Each structure stands twice: as structure tokens, then as C-alpha cells.
Amino acid sequence: MPGRELDRRTFSGLALAATLVGRRVAAEPTTGSRLPSDEDVYEPPATLALVADLYARMTAPLVVNDRGPYAFVVDTGANQSVISAELATHLGLPLGPSAPLNGVAGVQTTPTTTASLGLGRRARRPTKLFVLPQASIGGDGMLGLDGLDKQTLVLDFRHRTLTVEPGGGRGVEARSIVMHATRRDGQLTLIDAALSDIEITAFIDSGAQNTIGNRKLQKMAELRSPTSVWAEAPIVSVTGQTIEGDLADLPHLRIGGMKLPHWKVAFSDLHTFQMWGLVDRPAILLGIDVLSRFERVALDFDRNEVRFLPPESYVMRAVHA
């Protein structure tokens, strides 16, 4: 059956997990304006609208050419950083030569500029930045893997905060799931993940609102879950390019020794999977929709590990490898 169109943020390098919300969806009403406290019980967002609201809040303050701070999305799926056209104009940054930009459906030539980015106590250095409209980025800019070397990215969904800390920093809580990861083009790749008991190559993409798998995984998932209802879901990049996708509510996504509840997963032949040579092997990009099933996720690029903290009130079944 026809499904809704899926909007896809397009940005540089290896950041190509899909955002599965075609139109901007207003967050569901909440009461009051109080931020969650340490006494509050964390409940993962239950709808795509709530995921979108949470995603919009997960930014980090960056200084650009000693001005700011400005709200940047931190994207572990991109190997280069991006600044919005609006902020570049505001700061008077001159445009440099255009360069190839890898998008969801192919490559697009995109303007660049140069500026220094400052995050915390890290030294500021001139950085080549791609220039995209702010509406395509979801913030004033996007910090890619080039700004996260030896650092730890902490996605605290309970408190709706995103921080970058020195690598190997804070201790590990008793209920945390610690997973060692390998590096692939700078990204942390989970080696212990599965969908419907299919072992998969899984990447964590903090710059993607939603999760998407490749067609190889889709074919295998269809055999394991023949009763799943599929909907067509074209994925549209900000460049206007479109690639076909399919969406289904599939069970049994496993990360480490924990099974997560049913959640919608999209599948498509993203240009990303072609770039990584992952067309013929089952692979998936994990976005904020799946990551926010946990209370906190820490990506340690110094130790090459990912630490997942399940919420206390959230019952997830342990499984044996």
C-alpha cells in the first residue's frame, strides 16, 4: 500500500541514515515546562512525533570563529562537518570552491567554506565545512567525526542533553551494556547486533532521526517475518533526489544481549551502503528512534566502545548469545 514520503537529510561524507518523517510533525502536547529530574522515571518516546521532538533538542553548543555558541547537531555518521547557509552569511564567511557531497541517492556538488569550530576545551582550528540550508540540517550546523577524535559523545535522552567529553571519562553504571566496536571509515561499528535473529553490521548514526536497513536485510527479514505489513516509503533528499524505500514494524531488534520492542524500520538501497560495500551483506544504520529506547548512550571514540544504559522501568528481555 502507498505510504507517506520520507524526508531524508542529506549531508557530507558517510552520514546517510534516513529521517523517516516526510513532513515536520508537531510534537504531541506535554504539560508544563519542567525538565526531567533525577527522580523522574525515563519513558522512551512512543511515537514518531515524540522522537522528532527529542531529536530536535539533541544539539551541542559550538563556537564558530570565536563567536557563538551555536546549536550544532553532532553526527557520528558524517566524516565531515556542515554549517548552515544562514549562519555562514551571518558570520560573513566567504564561500569557497564547491565539492562533491554524498547524498542518499547519489553525489551532489555543494558549496564549502572554512571556519574554526570550538567545542569545550578542544583547540580551535580552521575546518572545511559544507554549506547547506538550515532546514536540511536541523540546527545551525552539524559536527561530524572529524571533530570527535578521542572524545566521548554522550546522548542523555533522560535529560535531553548531548555532551562531548574526554574519551574514557565517566564510570560505567552497573546496569549498562558495554559493547566493543570496530572502526569503519571512522565510525563505530557494533559487532553484536541482530534483527529477527539475523546477524547484522550495525552503525550508530546520531545525526539520523530514524533507522534504516539495506535491501539485503529486508529480503532476509521478510522471510523471518512473513506476516509483516509493508508500506512504500520514498526517501527524499534535500537536493530533491528520491530513492524508493519500504517501511514495516519488525520485531526482535537485538543490541548486545537485550531485545528491544517492535519498532518501525525502513529499508532502501541508500548510496551509503554502496559506498561502504554493504550491498550484499545485511546492514543497518541505527538512528535516534532506536537509540532513545535507552536512557543514555555513550560513544567512546578513544576506547572504541559503546555504552548503553537501559531505563530502570523499561523491561527488556535478556537473551543468550
Side-chain angles (χ1 to χ4, degrees):
M1 58 178 285
R4 61 177 165 177
E5 203 169 66
L6 306 185
D7 181 25
R8 175 64 183 92
R9 299 178 193 274
T10 304
F11 36 86
S12 66
L14 302 176
L16 294 172
T19 61
L20 306 183
V21 188
R23 316 175 276 283
R24 288 196 176 270
V25 183
E28 295 183 358
T30 57
T31 57
S33 58
R34 179 178 61 87
L35 291 175
S37 70
D38 289 336
E39 287 73 34
D40 290 331
V41 175
Y42 175 67
E43 294 293 341
T47 66
L48 287 176
L50 291 177
V51 169
D53 178 65
L54 178 63
Y55 175 78
R57 298 170 187 267
M58 304 294 284
T59 59
L62 262 71
V63 173
V64 183
N65 283 356
D66 296 321
R67 296 173 65 179
Y70 302 100
F72 272 58
V73 175
V74 180
D75 182 19
T76 58
N79 64 357
Q80 291 183 312
S81 299
V82 178
I83 190 170
S84 72
E86 292 83 348
L87 180 56
T89 299
H90 174 71
L91 296 176
L93 301 179
L95 292 181
S98 295
L101 177 71
N102 287 293
V104 59
V107 180
Q108 183 82 9
T109 301
T110 306
T112 65
T113 190
T114 301
S116 62
L117 299 180
L119 178 65
R121 298 181 179 179
R122 298 207 70 181
R124 294 167 173 79
R125 55 183 176 80
T127 302
K128 176 183 174 181
L129 305 171
F130 283 94
V131 181
L132 288 175
Q134 183 172 345
S136 302
I137 304 170
D140 295 318
M142 184 173 291
L143 181 69
L145 289 169
D146 54 342
L148 294 174
D149 187 44
K150 301 297 183 181
Q151 303 290 294
T152 298
L153 173 64
V154 180
L155 303 166
D156 189 332
F157 297 108
R158 179 177 183 178
H159 298 99
R160 298 187 174 191
T161 61
L162 183 155
T163 56
V164 178
E165 305 173 351
R170 69 172 74 185
V172 179
E173 296 190 34
R175 71 178 191 274
S176 291
I177 303 168
V178 180
M179 295 181 62
H180 293 286
T182 59
R183 288 287 191 103
R184 186 186 184 98
D185 294 320
Q187 281 192 305
L188 291 178
T189 306
L190 300 181
I191 57 177
D192 186 12
L195 179 67
S196 295
D197 296 325
I198 303 167
E199 297 297 323
I200 56 178
T201 299
F203 301 88
I204 292 182
D205 193 343
S206 63
Q209 183 172 297
N210 294 81
T211 295
I212 190 165
N214 64 2
R215 292 293 192 186
K216 180 68 173 181
L217 179 57
Q218 178 183 0
K219 291 178 181 178
M220 299 175 73
E222 287 176 331
L223 294 175
R224 300 294 178 92
S225 302
T227 60
S228 296
V229 178
W230 293 84
E232 295 179 1
I235 301 170
V236 182
S237 76
V238 295
T239 61
Q241 297 167 303
T242 302
I243 188 168
E244 294 302 316
D246 294 296
L247 187 68
D249 187 355
L250 294 176
H252 307 319
L253 175 62
R254 177 176 60 79
I255 298 177
M258 308 302 293
K259 278 187 177 180
L260 305 181
H262 294 207
W263 192 255
K264 293 187 182 298
V265 178
F267 297 88
S268 183
D269 280 327
L270 295 185
H271 177 60
T272 315
F273 294 127
Q274 298 175 23
M275 292 170 55
W276 286 333
L278 290 174
V279 174
D280 298 321
R281 286 188 291 164
I284 198 168
L285 293 171
L286 301 176
I288 294 297
D289 59 337
V290 166
L291 299 179
S292 61
R293 304 301 94 196
F294 297 91
E295 186 174 312
R296 186 170 65 243
V297 178
L299 289 78
D300 193 327
F301 290 90
D302 185 34
R303 292 180 176 175
N304 286 342
E305 68 180 24
V306 183
R307 299 183 287 273
F308 298 91
L309 181 66
E312 293 183 18
S313 65
Y314 193 50
V315 179
M316 292 186 292
R317 293 175 295 167
V319 296
H320 298 287

